[in-house]
Amino acid sequence: MSRTCTLLITIADPTALLAMYGASDPTAAERTAFRRAEKQYKLYKPLNLKGRSRSKPSGGEGGGADLSAVVDFHALLAANGELPAGIGRRDCAGFDRPVFCFLDRPGFYFIPGALSTEEQCCWIRESLKTFPQPPNRTNLTAIYGSISDLLIAAKNQKILVEAENPDIQERNEQNNCGGKTESKYFKFVDSESQKGEEHRSTAATTLVRKLRWSTLGLQFDWSKRNYDVSLPHNKIPDALASLAKKMAIPAMPSGEEFKPEAAIVNYYGPSDMLGGHVDDMEADWTKPIVSISLGCKCIFLLGGKIRDEVPTAMFLRSGDIVLMAGEARERFHGVPRIFTDQQEISALISQLSSGDDVFILDYIKNSRININIRQVY
């Protein structure tokens, strides 16, 4: 079974989650070093003493967890002094940004503050406006079919309703189709126009919050856990491909250029986590995954080739880029926690405070977006 999985989960049953990631014995997996680290840093909702339910989680710094062992590459960069044992710097000809690495984990590279605030805002906008557009698929596609202009609909307070497709309905009637027909589809309408109507409906703003992933370029088939070249797709946007090629340089074999062919965009809410997994579906592991972080800060765990190796925890902030190539591609990694501390993203808040970006600003204040660009072949 492939160990690849980049689905985001709001944890309700950790045992079920571990089963998803290919653990043959979820009970045993619960006892692994990686799982203990996930539990250590996970955001726990405080118990509401007046009732059985739990109150809204606090996304602030710490939240009860001991963060003293979490590596902070931004702090190391600012200190500009001797690095802690096991951490090094990588100098790359033609690459003008600082690059950190772990000496005992070859193929993993950390580029702090790789993107300017303006670049971060650009890719946040694209991730919400353009990347979920058909033919790209999202986690919503299986439920609602292709949805166009989700962000615009959310900004305009529209709702998604189930409707009849007149053309298909007429064809079914002409052909005397019995039983189930495929005449239903979903469309955005003004909420006012649906008053008094009995339709299955969902607010567009709710659907934006329910986004968990979208796929660009070659489409990844989650049910089969492989790339399905038969699915309609557009190539990776030129600007994103150019950025990925540039940022991949520290991890690329000498004389070779990264070829972006697919990307998976993950959308994290305040309580979401990404369980430990290995990305192993691409053909050539010498080529890196280029991972761009946007929005709220998170903790990233980098483990070993087995779950029982103790992972290293580090902070990932908006604008940071991580590269994983070669041996690093075989290591379990995940995100147990995001932080909704707005001081961390004050530059983004300032940049997105204009009228056109108000909805995006409200979203990113307590969300994280991660763009993972891959060379498939």
Side-chain angles (χ1 to χ4, degrees):
M1 175 183 287
S2 165
R3 294 179 292 174
T4 296
C5 188
T6 49
L7 289 177
L8 288 169
I9 304 295
T10 300
I11 294 301
D13 181 355
T15 302
L17 174 68
L18 287 164
M20 281 185 57
Y21 290 122
S24 57
D25 183 354
T27 304
E30 280 285 299
R31 299 192 293 267
T32 66
F34 200 99
R35 182 62 186 144
R36 287 195 296 272
E38 288 179 322
K39 288 182 174 180
Q40 176 184 350
Y41 295 116
K42 174 187 169 184
L43 176 62
Y44 288 95
K45 300 178 182 180
L47 186 64
N48 183 349
L49 298 179
K50 292 184 179 181
R52 297 287 184 182
S53 63
R54 292 178 180 267
S55 57
K56 184 178 180 181
S58 169
E61 192 77 16
D66 180 3
L67 304 180
S68 59
V70 182
V71 178
D72 189 337
F73 285 108
H74 283 255
L76 294 179
L77 183 63
N80 196 28
E82 185 176 348
L83 295 174
I87 295 178
R89 292 279 293 264
R90 176 171 171 78
D91 295 322
C92 303
F95 196 78
D96 60 356
R97 290 168 173 79
V99 182
F100 290 94
C101 60
F102 293 107
L103 302 181
D104 63 345
R105 301 188 178 187
F108 178 87
Y109 304 102
F110 192 111
I111 311 172
L115 302 183
S116 68
T117 301
E118 291 75 14
E119 289 173 312
Q120 294 168 47
C121 291
C122 168
W123 294 117
I124 291 170
R125 293 185 189 102
E126 290 296 293
S127 296
L128 292 173
K129 180 179 180 181
T130 306
F131 295 166
Q133 289 280 83
N136 299 338
R137 299 163 76 226
T138 76
N139 59 296
L140 303 176
T141 305
I143 305 171
Y144 303 105
S146 296
I147 299 176
S148 298
D149 300 324
L150 174 58
L151 180 64
I152 295 173
K155 286 181 176 181
N156 293 323
Q157 299 294 309
K158 291 183 178 291
I159 60 174
L160 190 73
V161 299
E162 190 175 39
E164 296 281 353
N165 187 318
D167 295 334
I168 297 178
Q169 187 178 23
E170 181 180 356
R171 186 161 61 247
N172 287 333
E173 291 172 352
Q174 290 174 350
N175 295 333
N176 295 316
C177 293
K180 182 180 177 182
T181 64
E182 299 299 328
S183 62
K184 299 288 187 180
Y185 77 109
F186 290 87
K187 65 177 181 179
F188 286 116
V189 297
D190 293 325
S191 56
E192 289 294 322
S193 68
Q194 295 300 300
K195 283 188 176 181
E197 298 284 340
E198 293 186 4
H199 286 290
R200 176 184 173 189
S201 65
T202 307
T205 52
T206 300
L207 292 175
V208 171
R209 288 293 177 184
K210 287 184 176 181
L211 265 180
R212 288 298 175 266
W213 55 264
S214 62
T215 49
L216 316 181
L218 293 175
Q219 297 291 290
F220 192 80
D221 186 328
W222 297 99
S223 61
K224 299 177 182 177
R225 294 186 179 180
N226 62 21
Y227 291 94
D228 188 342
V229 296
S230 69
L231 290 173
H233 63 275
N234 296 327
K235 69 174 186 176
I236 296 288
D238 289 342
L240 184 61
S242 177
L243 175 65
K245 288 178 182 179
K246 179 179 179 181
M247 293 300 164
I249 289 174
M252 286 296 294
S254 178
E256 296 189 36
E257 183 179 68
F258 185 62
K259 298 176 182 178
E261 293 170 318
I264 299 174
V265 185
N266 293 131
Y267 305 85
Y268 295 73
S271 300
D272 290 340
M273 67 169 286
L274 180 63
H277 65 285
V278 173
D279 293 309
D280 59 359
M281 289 310 303
E282 290 73 36
D284 185 356
W285 291 2
T286 66
K287 306 304 187 295
I289 290 177
V290 180
S291 179
I292 303 171
S293 288
L294 301 166
C296 290
K297 181 176 74 174
C298 76
I299 288 178
F300 179 82
L301 296 178
L302 177 65
K305 297 179 183 180
I306 59 173
R307 294 179 185 273
D308 253 333
E309 186 173 329
V310 177
T312 298
M314 65 201 82
F315 290 121
L316 269 176
R317 293 180 172 86
S318 192
D320 292 344
I321 289 180
V322 160
L323 308 175
M324 296 182 71
E327 188 179 316
R329 293 288 299 268
E330 302 178 62
R331 294 184 175 273
F332 282 92
H333 56 280
V335 176
R337 171 81 179 273
I338 78 164
F339 300 88
T340 55
D341 180 358
Q342 294 185 16
Q343 289 185 344
E344 286 279 351
I345 56 170
S346 58
L348 288 180
I349 291 174
S350 176
Q351 189 78 16
L352 294 170
S353 294
S354 65
D356 288 344
D357 289 324
V358 169
F359 183 87
I360 293 175
L361 173 61
D362 183 64
Y363 175 89
I364 209 63
K365 280 181 178 179
N366 60 2
S367 302
R368 175 177 181 260
I369 298 172
N370 183 219
I371 308 172
N372 297 281
I373 306 107
R374 300 141 187 267
Q375 180 171 328
V376 177
Y377 300 112

